[in-house]
């Protein structure tokens, strides 16, 4: 990251100074942004509405009110691309003043670009800077390994909004960033080096790279940590390359340019399956050591975020996709970051990034379960996260104890950490499971398609006042399951449940499932 840009804090460098939620960066004070324009979720069954509809409303308020905050133009608008109005972006949460790169991308990808596209655009640009030659690039920070997640968030933002100006600049930022990260590819194994997605704390790793006596909670404080090759990060690169190709195609770039991204994605997916798949366990390993006494060995732990990304980005296909969804371990209150406990942790002293429930990961994994046809496992995670939110008084915390369900930050290096309140990506994870899981929303440049996953006993459910580009939709799901028996738009049968990007005005979509 450049000297003038803000460097996001990590677990040992928290900045918890209060942020005025409704003061603009030039000192004006506005009323809290309303959430009445957000889509309303309504289950016909009142018990289901209380279980899921109430946390849904809390998730909307978390994103659109609590964490939709003004930014400092001199600090964050290093590209000149942030706009006022709205003069706001999505911060990472109650304990984190800044968006962070991964939070900015994930929160936009999960729900922000759909619910508040102007604020989401600002959020994405707030973690981008310009090189001396004027090119755009995603900022460099201490969590350098997963910065390519911005490409995924940017491609989704354009698919949702159709913003042609954003498309041109986003493609430049993505292409420049991917060019910069090519040096991280370990050509011995065909995999990218670096930590796992969102795993910046050493509590997220076994020994080695952890070593007793080393001071510091950040993974990069430990020898050989920069040589690891992790499942989630490598699956993410597959997604980033495919996102780059999508952006290039939408811009009409030549096939020779697009082909390079697809070739890189295919080669990397092949390497992941060859290097990290464990036949005996029937799932992917967590990481491959690249240096030190264990060089070339695979750690056989399960990484839930990696499993989710393997499904979402098409790295796991066919029988392997089914196998990983069947095999994924779940603790009583949800899937955990990495399973089982590393030797220095336990159920009584769980590691912060080890066997703990992170709602952000629940959201990704629940979505992956829906994509893979496991409606039952999708239902477990959406209901599970709803239960955690109810237990914590309606708040979305950063992470939770996997057995008690209490908001708990877990142990790192000799002490336990807090679990921060009002965590934005915990709330948008819930929204992701509603929009992309339950209703099965799939955005492309041409249309919004629905591939719902409606668990038994959950229907009828309706999402009304859904704003998609120039249309306002009401979407009703009836029946149960994943197979569409019939779909209609304003009473007229459809060949498949989708609406074109050019649709205007108010419309009623009904999808019957069996």
């Amino acid at each position: 990251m450049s000297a003038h840009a803000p460097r996001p804090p990590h677990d040992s460098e928290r900045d918890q100074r209060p942020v005025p939620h409704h003061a603009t960066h030039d000192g004006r004070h506005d009323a809290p942004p309303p959430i009445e324009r957000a889509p309303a979720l309504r289950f016909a069954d009142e018990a289901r509405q209380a279980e899921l509809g109430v946390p849904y409303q809390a998730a909307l308020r978390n994103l659109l009110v609590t964490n939709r905050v003004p930014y400092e133009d001199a600090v964050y608008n290093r590209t000149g691309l942030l706009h006022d109005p709205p003069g706001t972006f999505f911060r990472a949460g109650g304990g984190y003043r800044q968006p962070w790169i991964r939070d900015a991308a994930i929160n936009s990808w999960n729900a922000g670009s759909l619910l508040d596209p102007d604020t989401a655009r600002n959020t994405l640009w707030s973690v981008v800077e310009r090189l001396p030659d004027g090119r755009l690039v995603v900022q460099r920070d201490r969590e350098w390994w997963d910065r390519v997640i911005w490409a995924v968030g940017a491609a989704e933002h354009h698919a949702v909004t159709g913003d042609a100006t954003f498309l041109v600049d986003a493609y430049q930022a993505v292409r420049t960033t991917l060019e910069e990260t090519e040096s991280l590819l370990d050509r011995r194994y065909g995999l990218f080096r670096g930590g796992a997605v969102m795993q910046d704390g050493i509590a997220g790793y076994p020994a080695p790279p952890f070593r007793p006596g080393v001071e510091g909670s950040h993974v990069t404080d430990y020898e050989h940590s920069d040589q690891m090759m992790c499942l989630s990060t490598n699956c993410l690169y597959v997604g980033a390359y495919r996102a780059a190709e999508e952006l290039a195609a939408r811009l009409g770039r030549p096939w020779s340019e697009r082909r390079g991204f697809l070739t890189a994605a295919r080669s990397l997916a092949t390497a992941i399956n060859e290097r990290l798949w464990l036949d005996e366990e029937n799932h992917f390993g967590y990481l491959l050591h690249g240096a030190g006494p264990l060089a070339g060995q695979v750690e056989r732990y399960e990484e839930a975020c990696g499993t989710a990304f393997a499904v979402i980005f098409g790295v796991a296909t066919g029988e392997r996709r089914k196998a990983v969804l069947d095999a994924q371990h779940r603790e009583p209150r949800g899937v955990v970051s990495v399973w089982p406990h590393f030797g220095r942790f336990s159920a009584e002293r769980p590691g912060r990034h080890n066997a703990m429930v992170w709602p952000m990961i629940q959201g990704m994994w629940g979505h992956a379960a829906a994509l893979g046809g496991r409606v039952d496992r999708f239902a477990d995670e959406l209901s599970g996260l709803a239960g955690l939110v109810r237990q914590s008084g309606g708040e979305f915390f950063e992470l939770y104890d996997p057995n008690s369900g209490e908001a708990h930050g877990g142990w790192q290096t000799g002490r336990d950490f807090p679990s921060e309140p009002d965590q934005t990506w915990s709330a948008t994870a819930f929204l992701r499971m509603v929009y992309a899981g339950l209703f099965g929303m799939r955005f492309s440049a041409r249309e919004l398609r629905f591939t719902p996953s409606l668990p038994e006993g959950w229907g009828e459910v309706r999402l009304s006042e859904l704003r998609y580009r120039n249309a306002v939709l009401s979407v009703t799901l009836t029946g149960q399951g994943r197979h569409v028996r019939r779909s209609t738009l304003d009473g007229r049968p459809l060949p498949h449940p989708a609406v074109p990007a050019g649709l205007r005005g108010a419309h009623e979509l009904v999808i019957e499932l069996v």
Side-chain angles (χ1 to χ4, degrees):
M1 180 178 288
S2 65
H4 60 244
R7 181 175 63 81
H10 57 78
D11 287 333
S12 62
E13 297 176 338
R14 294 174 183 274
D15 183 351
Q16 301 183 51
R17 290 172 291 173
V19 178
H21 291 184
H22 310 303
T24 62
H25 58 263
D26 62 359
R28 301 190 311 271
H29 287 263
D30 298 332
I35 61 173
E36 287 76 12
R37 286 173 56 84
L41 180 69
R42 184 71 201 182
F43 290 87
D45 181 75
E46 290 299 328
R48 194 69 61 186
Q49 180 66 20
E51 178 194 4
L52 300 174
V54 174
Y56 171 80
Q57 193 70 12
L60 291 178
R61 184 161 295 280
N62 175 295
L63 176 67
L64 300 176
V65 179
T66 304
N67 289 311
R68 181 184 184 267
V69 301
Y71 56 83
E72 297 177 58
D73 196 76
V75 175
Y76 291 100
N77 197 5
R78 309 310 301 185
T79 62
L81 296 173
L82 275 72
H83 292 175
D84 186 1
T88 53
F89 62 17
F90 298 125
R91 64 175 181 174
Y96 305 100
R97 293 171 56 91
Q98 299 166 322
W100 291 35
I101 294 169
R102 57 178 174 250
D103 296 70
I106 288 171
N107 287 322
S108 298
W109 180 24
N110 281 350
S113 294
L114 176 64
L115 298 179
D116 187 348
D118 290 338
T119 297
R121 183 194 59 235
N122 278 352
T123 307
L124 288 166
W125 288 132
S126 72
V127 295
V128 174
E129 61 185 350
R130 289 191 185 274
L131 295 173
D133 61 9
R135 287 181 300 151
L136 297 165
V137 66
V138 177
Q139 292 174 351
R140 298 86 152 196
D141 64 8
R142 201 177 183 188
E143 285 78 58
W144 41 265
W145 48 85
D146 61 0
R147 58 197 280 252
V148 297
I149 198 168
W150 196 92
V152 177
E156 180 75 357
H157 183 81
H158 178 259
V160 172
T161 66
D163 185 336
T165 301
F166 176 85
L167 173 62
V168 173
D169 292 327
Y171 178 62
Q172 181 188 100
V174 168
R175 187 174 181 181
T176 305
T177 303
L178 286 173
E179 289 172 354
E180 275 197 352
T181 59
E182 286 178 357
S183 62
L184 301 175
L185 183 66
D186 190 320
R187 301 193 182 279
R188 295 172 300 169
Y189 304 104
L191 299 172
F192 280 90
R193 297 187 298 270
V197 172
M198 60 79 65
Q199 299 279 62
D200 48 4
I202 191 60
Y205 302 91
F210 172 77
R211 185 161 56 89
V214 176
E215 293 186 6
S217 64
H218 200 268
V219 62
T220 57
D221 296 328
Y222 292 78
E223 188 179 19
H224 304 313
S225 63
D226 60 341
Q227 301 298 308
M228 298 183 300
M229 291 154 276
C230 297
L231 176 63
S232 57
T233 294
N234 278 276
C235 290
L236 177 60
Y237 268 88
V238 174
Y241 279 122
R242 288 179 176 159
E245 192 279 329
E246 289 173 9
L247 293 171
R250 295 170 197 171
L251 278 170
R253 302 297 299 173
W255 170 243
S256 59
E257 188 174 308
R258 295 163 49 199
R259 181 173 55 203
F261 297 128
L262 292 180
T263 299
R266 284 194 295 267
S267 297
L268 184 53
T270 298
I272 294 168
N273 278 282
E274 289 179 351
R275 300 292 186 178
L276 293 174
W277 181 256
L278 304 173
D279 283 320
E280 293 180 6
E281 288 86 345
N282 221 20
H283 67 75
F284 290 102
Y286 177 22
L287 62 87
L288 174 69
H289 291 279
L294 299 182
Q297 294 188 35
V298 176
E299 291 290 350
R300 310 181 85 82
Y301 297 89
E302 289 181 359
E303 185 203 3
C305 189
T307 298
F309 282 175
V311 173
I312 291 170
F313 297 128
V315 175
T317 60
E319 289 301 313
R320 286 193 177 180
R321 183 173 75 166
K322 180 180 184 301
V324 296
L325 293 173
D326 290 344
Q328 181 66 53
H329 177 82
R330 187 179 194 275
E331 285 289 88
R333 305 308 296 270
V335 296
V336 295
S337 181
V338 181
W339 181 261
H341 293 281
F342 303 138
R344 62 194 188 275
F345 299 122
S346 65
E348 293 70 36
R349 288 169 57 99
R352 177 171 174 79
H353 295 278
N354 186 188
M356 296 289 281
V357 174
W358 288 75
M360 187 280 283
I361 296 175
Q362 282 186 292
M364 294 295 177
W365 203 90
H367 179 199
L371 283 174
R374 289 300 305 269
V375 181
D376 55 337
R377 301 213 70 176
F378 158 70
D380 286 344
E381 291 315 311
L382 183 54
S383 293
L385 180 50
L388 293 172
V389 172
R390 289 195 305 274
Q391 183 175 333
S392 57
E395 283 196 65
F396 285 85
F397 278 85
E398 187 178 16
L399 67 161
Y400 296 85
D401 185 280
N403 292 294
S404 70
E406 296 294 327
H408 180 212
W411 291 80
Q412 186 87 261
T413 49
R415 70 180 181 91
D416 60 341
F417 277 73
S419 177
E420 298 294 349
D422 297 322
Q423 188 75 3
T424 316
W425 70 11
S426 296
T428 62
F430 190 91
L431 297 173
R432 182 189 192 92
M433 285 193 279
V434 171
Y435 299 148
L438 180 60
F439 284 86
M441 295 185 194
R442 308 284 181 267
F443 295 93
S444 72
R446 295 184 301 275
E447 67 179 10
L448 166 55
R449 182 179 289 238
F450 295 83
T451 58
S453 294
L454 184 58
E456 183 178 359
W458 284 27
E460 174 180 308
V461 58
R462 178 180 174 86
L463 192 67
S464 58
E465 297 299 308
L466 172 65
R467 286 169 168 78
Y468 167 58
R469 300 195 183 187
N470 293 309
V472 181
L473 307 175
S474 291
V475 186
T476 301
L477 306 181
T478 65
Q480 64 184 45
R482 300 180 65 243
H483 301 291
V484 176
R485 178 168 61 186
R486 184 170 183 263
S487 62
T488 62
L489 183 65
D490 301 327
R492 295 187 297 273
L494 293 172
H496 55 261
V499 296
L503 191 68
R504 292 178 176 271
H507 298 274
E508 183 82 27
L509 176 66
V510 178
I511 305 172
E512 300 176 17
L513 299 162
V514 292

